[in-house]
Amino acid sequence: MRIDIVTLFPEFFTSPLQTSLLGKAIANQIAEVHLTNPRDFTTDKHHRVDDEPYGGGVGMLMKPDPIFAAVESLPILPKREIIYMTPQGEPMKQNLFKELADYEQLVLICGSYEGIDERVCEHLVTREVSLGDFVLTCGEIPALALINGVVRLRPGTVGKEESLKFESFEDGLLDYPQYTRPPIFRGWEVPEVLRSGNHKLIAEWRKEQQILRTKQRRPDML
C-alpha cells in the first residue's frame, strides 16, 4: 500500500511513522508513506499557500492551485482514494479502516488555517473523513489516526492476525475486560471463570461482558 500525505508540516509525521508497529510495518514495506508539501508547488516569491476568503470572514483559506499541483505530481495506482481530513466528513469507524485497507493508494490532504478552497473538495477529493465532531488545529492529527487504523489491518503488521478478530467493533460490540498476572492485586481478584480453564464458560462470560459493556457505554451500537 502506498500512502501519500499532502501536508504543510511534514515534520509532524517524522517520529510517529518510525514508532511501534506502524514504524515496523513501514520498515518491512507493508506500507510506504510519502510526504508532499504544497508549499513546494507555489509560484510566487513568498511561497504563499493561503489567502483571504471571498465574501469576507475570519482567517485564511488554503489556495487550490498548490494542492492540485501537489496531488497531480503523485503517481496514480489503480485503486486509490483521495481523502480530505475535515470535521465535515464521514466519521472514522472500524468498517472504514477495513475498506481502505484494501486500497493500493491513499492520498491524504491535511488542511490548515480555516480549511481549503471548496474547489479542491468538489473536483479533486474523492472522500472526506472526520476524526470526530470537534475542530483541531490541523488535519495532520486525524490523518495519522487514519494511517494507524488502516495499516494495522494490513497483513503482516500485527504479529497474531487472529487477535484482530477479537477487538472492539469487530462484531458490533465493545471488547470484553481482560486481565493478566498477578491473580490478586491490592485485593482485587481476576474473575474466577477466567482462571477455571473451561474455555466454553470463558467464551460465554466474555460474550456476556461484551453485551453488558456495550449497553453501558455505547447503547447506540446495539
Side-chain angles (χ1 to χ4, degrees):
M1 166 180 278
R2 178 187 172 104
I3 299 174
D4 288 285
I5 308 173
V6 179
T7 171
L8 293 174
F9 308 103
E11 65 276 9
F12 180 94
F13 297 93
T14 303
S15 177
L17 294 180
Q18 297 175 352
T19 305
S20 190
L21 288 178
L22 186 56
K24 291 180 180 178
I26 294 173
N28 292 330
Q29 299 183 328
I30 294 171
E32 56 179 281
V33 179
H34 301 267
L35 301 168
T36 303
N37 193 333
R39 198 176 298 279
D40 296 336
F41 296 85
T42 54
T43 56
D44 66 296
K45 65 178 182 180
H46 298 295
H47 300 290
R48 289 194 60 180
V49 293
D50 63 318
D51 211 330
E52 298 175 352
Y54 279 110
V58 178
M60 307 288 277
L61 285 179
M62 291 183 68
K63 300 169 64 175
D65 34 335
I67 299 176
F68 268 86
V71 173
E72 290 170 351
S73 73
L74 303 174
I76 301 175
L77 275 63
K79 188 176 183 180
R80 82 166 180 170
E81 196 86 87
I82 302 176
I83 301 173
Y84 173 46
M85 314 308 302
T86 169
Q88 301 181 43
E90 63 178 291
M92 288 189 202
K93 293 186 176 180
Q94 193 66 18
N95 284 338
L96 173 63
F97 292 158
K98 287 181 181 179
E99 178 186 347
L100 295 178
D102 289 330
Y103 276 71
E104 296 176 59
Q105 181 182 22
L106 300 178
V107 180
L108 309 182
I109 300 176
C110 304
S112 292
Y113 311 113
E114 292 299 311
I116 63 177
D117 188 292
E118 185 65 21
R119 287 167 290 188
V120 176
C121 300
E122 292 178 347
H123 304 290
L124 183 63
V125 169
T126 60
R127 194 166 201 155
E128 298 185 8
V129 173
S130 169
L131 184 59
D133 295 337
F134 46 82
V135 179
L136 300 173
T137 57
C138 61
E140 282 75 12
I141 296 172
L144 185 58
L146 187 143
I147 293 169
N148 190 294
V150 170
V151 172
R152 69 183 296 274
L153 297 179
R154 298 283 295 180
T157 301
V158 177
K160 296 181 179 179
E161 294 185 19
E162 188 72 13
S163 65
L164 296 175
K165 300 178 182 179
F166 302 98
E167 298 179 320
S168 292
F169 310 111
E170 285 302 316
D171 57 357
L173 298 171
L174 297 181
D175 201 2
Y176 47 78
Q178 300 195 64
Y179 303 84
T180 188
R181 294 177 177 80
I184 302 176
F185 173 69
R186 295 187 179 181
W188 303 312
E189 293 191 35
V190 174
E192 185 178 347
V193 63
L194 296 179
R195 294 178 284 161
S196 68
N198 188 318
H199 297 296
K200 181 175 182 296
L201 289 180
I202 291 173
E204 292 174 351
W205 180 87
R206 285 175 169 172
K207 178 60 71 174
E208 291 171 357
Q209 291 297 312
Q210 280 188 280
I211 296 172
L212 179 61
R213 178 165 286 191
T214 305
K215 283 182 177 179
Q216 293 174 337
R217 303 184 182 186
R218 290 291 305 275
D220 57 294
M221 292 174 57
L222 296 173

